[in-house]
């Protein structure tokens, strides 16, 4: 009888350490659209987005080591509808208003999920927010991926994790997806003046959310500054800069991104380098990713590597 009792006590203690009084659901909020509008570089009728739920698992969005159902306005979050509504609002805020006469732009949502992880009560609550979608462009079907990693150690209450690990990734998910659809189809961009204003703001505040906005702007004049930020001591600034090089489709920086992966001291930087290389969708880059995936030996690398690379390839 001793062994079962010890085992039950161990399980109970482990659950307590992992959960740390974690609730089973969280109330999230809607993302605020971006401020800077795109310049009008085309006069064509913009096609409205039509998201089609093609997920193999339509029931599960938020999952992981801890129960974490997401609710919006006290109702369970409907992830594809959420993405459709707020991507439309993000594009409208940028100045892309669909025409009633334009044919819908079909997007197959293949994966849309938020996975959480926590080792014990003294480590961060981490979320991985993921999207894989096929955009039916005039030039054929193009794969789009989004991968956002966020973490926070709850000190006094699990309410502390809602903004950084739930609300913020949902906002970044919408903005990155909208930016990638724009780059593929609408091809609008923020002005050079807006890029310079964001650079000045980032230098003053060191806010990684502004770094992301440089990537979402679809203006490659931001690339030199983003390369400078690869050396930042702030982890989230580095991650935003790495990710933004991919979002901007900076093909000329493929070797730079390979170097980031090869020299990074932590898995987060490596993961973002893989994501950015996958965003470039170059033959040499995709071969590099496959070689990297086959070389993973550490269990953590295999876990995030397969999870991330599976969004693209």
């Amino acid at each position: 009888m001793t062994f079962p009792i010890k085992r039950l006590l161990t399980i109970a203690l482990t659950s307590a350490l992992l959960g740390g009084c974690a609730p089973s659901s969280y109330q999230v909020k809607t993302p605020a659209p971006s401020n800077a509008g795109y310049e009008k570089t085309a006069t064509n009728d913009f096609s409205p987005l039509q998201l089609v739920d093609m997920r193999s698992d339509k029931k599960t969005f938020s999952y992981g080591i801890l129960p974490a159902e997401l609710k919006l306005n006290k109702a369970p979050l409907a992830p594809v509808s959420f993405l459709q509504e707020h991507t439309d609002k993000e594009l409208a805020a940028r100045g892309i208003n669909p025409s009633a006469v334009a044919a819908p732009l079909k997007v197959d949502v293949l994966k849309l999920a938020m996975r959480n992880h926590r080792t014990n009560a003294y480590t961060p609550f981490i979320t991985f927010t993921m999207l894989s979608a096929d955009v039916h462009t005039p030039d054929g079907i193009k794969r789009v991926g989004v991968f956002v990693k966020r973490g926070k150690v709850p000190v006094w209450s699990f309410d502390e994790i809602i903004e950084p690990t739930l609300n913020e990734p949902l906002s970044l998910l919408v903005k990155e997806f909208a930016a990638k659809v724009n780059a593929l189809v609408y091809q609008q961009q923020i002005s050079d003046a807006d890029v310079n204003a964001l650079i000045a703001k980032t230098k003053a505040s060191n806010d990684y959310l502004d770094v992301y906005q440089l990537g979402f702007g679809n203006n490659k004049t931001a690339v030199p500054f983003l390369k400078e930020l690869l050396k930042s001591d702030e982890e989230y600034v580095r991650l935003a800069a790495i990710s933004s090089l991919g979002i901007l489709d900076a093909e000329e920086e493929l070797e730079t991104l390979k170097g980031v992966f090869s020299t990074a001291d932590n898995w987060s930087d490596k993961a973002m380098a893989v994501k950015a290389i996958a965003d470039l969708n170059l033959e040499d880059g995709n071969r590099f990713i496959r070689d990297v995936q086959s070389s993973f030996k550490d269990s953590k690398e295999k876990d995030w590597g397969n999870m991330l690379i599976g969004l693209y390839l």
Side-chain angles (χ1 to χ4, degrees):
M1 294 295 291
T2 304
F3 174 72
I5 292 174
K6 284 185 177 180
R7 186 176 180 184
L8 287 172
L9 288 173
T10 300
I11 292 172
L13 179 59
T14 302
S15 299
L17 286 172
L18 287 173
C21 299
S24 60
S25 65
Y26 301 87
Q27 291 287 338
V28 296
K29 66 182 184 182
T30 57
S34 298
N35 294 321
Y38 291 133
E39 290 184 309
K40 296 297 182 184
T41 58
T43 57
N44 57 298
D45 292 328
F46 295 121
S47 298
L49 290 184
Q50 181 183 28
L51 272 59
V52 181
D53 191 351
M54 301 291 287
R55 295 174 297 157
S56 58
D57 182 359
K58 292 182 171 62
K59 295 182 179 179
T60 304
F61 173 68
S62 178
Y63 72 101
I65 201 165
L66 295 178
E69 181 187 17
L70 302 190
K71 293 186 175 182
L72 183 63
N73 298 324
K74 298 183 179 180
L77 181 74
V80 176
S81 298
F82 176 91
L83 183 63
Q84 173 84 64
E85 177 184 352
H86 294 288
T87 300
D88 289 344
K89 290 180 177 179
E90 172 69 11
L91 290 171
R94 296 288 200 180
I96 297 177
N97 295 295
S99 168
V101 300
L105 179 68
K106 184 170 176 283
V107 179
D108 297 329
V109 178
L110 308 176
K111 185 176 183 65
L112 182 55
M114 179 182 283
R115 174 183 169 186
N116 70 63
H117 180 75
R118 198 180 194 204
T119 305
N120 58 56
Y122 308 103
T123 57
F125 176 86
I126 296 172
T127 58
F128 306 98
T129 303
M130 300 167 278
L131 168 69
S132 180
D134 282 342
V135 183
H136 293 249
T137 79
D139 297 323
I141 297 176
K142 306 291 184 181
R143 177 63 53 86
V144 166
V146 176
F147 182 83
V148 181
K149 174 253 181 181
R150 283 293 176 270
K152 173 73 170 70
V153 178
V155 178
W156 300 108
S157 164
F158 252 76
D159 289 345
E160 298 167 24
I161 63 99
I162 295 176
E163 184 60 30
T165 70
L166 303 177
N167 286 332
E168 190 177 290
L170 288 173
S171 178
L172 291 173
L173 166 75
V174 166
K175 290 176 172 60
E176 182 169 338
F177 175 62
K180 287 179 172 176
V181 170
N182 167 62
L184 283 173
V185 182
Y186 307 126
Q187 298 176 353
Q188 308 295 291
Q189 64 181 43
I190 61 174
S191 67
D192 289 352
D194 283 332
V195 171
N196 292 332
L198 280 169
I199 290 174
K201 186 179 178 185
T202 301
K203 287 180 177 179
S205 67
N206 209 29
D207 188 340
Y208 58 87
L209 294 178
D210 292 327
V211 180
Y212 274 112
Q213 284 294 340
L214 288 169
F216 301 153
N218 199 32
N219 187 328
K220 289 189 177 181
T221 59
V223 168
F225 179 66
L226 291 171
K227 288 179 66 178
E228 293 178 24
L229 296 181
L230 299 181
K231 301 176 183 178
S232 173
D233 292 332
E234 296 293 331
E235 178 188 5
Y236 281 177
V237 170
R238 285 197 316 276
L239 297 185
I242 297 167
S243 182
S244 291
L245 288 175
I247 297 169
L248 285 174
D249 197 26
E251 295 183 355
E252 68 280 5
E253 300 305 330
L254 174 59
E255 294 304 317
T256 299
L257 293 168
K258 288 182 182 180
V260 170
F261 178 89
S262 300
T263 60
D265 294 326
N266 63 74
W267 74 268
S268 296
D269 286 44
K270 287 179 179 288
M272 283 302 105
V274 167
K275 172 186 178 292
I277 292 170
D279 279 334
L280 300 183
N281 193 27
L282 299 171
E283 183 178 345
D284 185 26
N286 291 341
R287 184 167 53 249
F288 178 83
I289 290 172
R290 290 188 179 95
D291 289 343
V292 162
Q293 187 175 23
S294 64
S295 69
F296 285 148
K297 295 179 181 179
D298 178 81
S299 59
K300 179 183 286 188
E301 287 186 339
K302 285 183 178 180
D303 184 31
W304 69 254
N306 291 331
M307 179 171 57
L308 168 54
I309 295 171
L311 301 176
Y312 289 89
L313 303 178

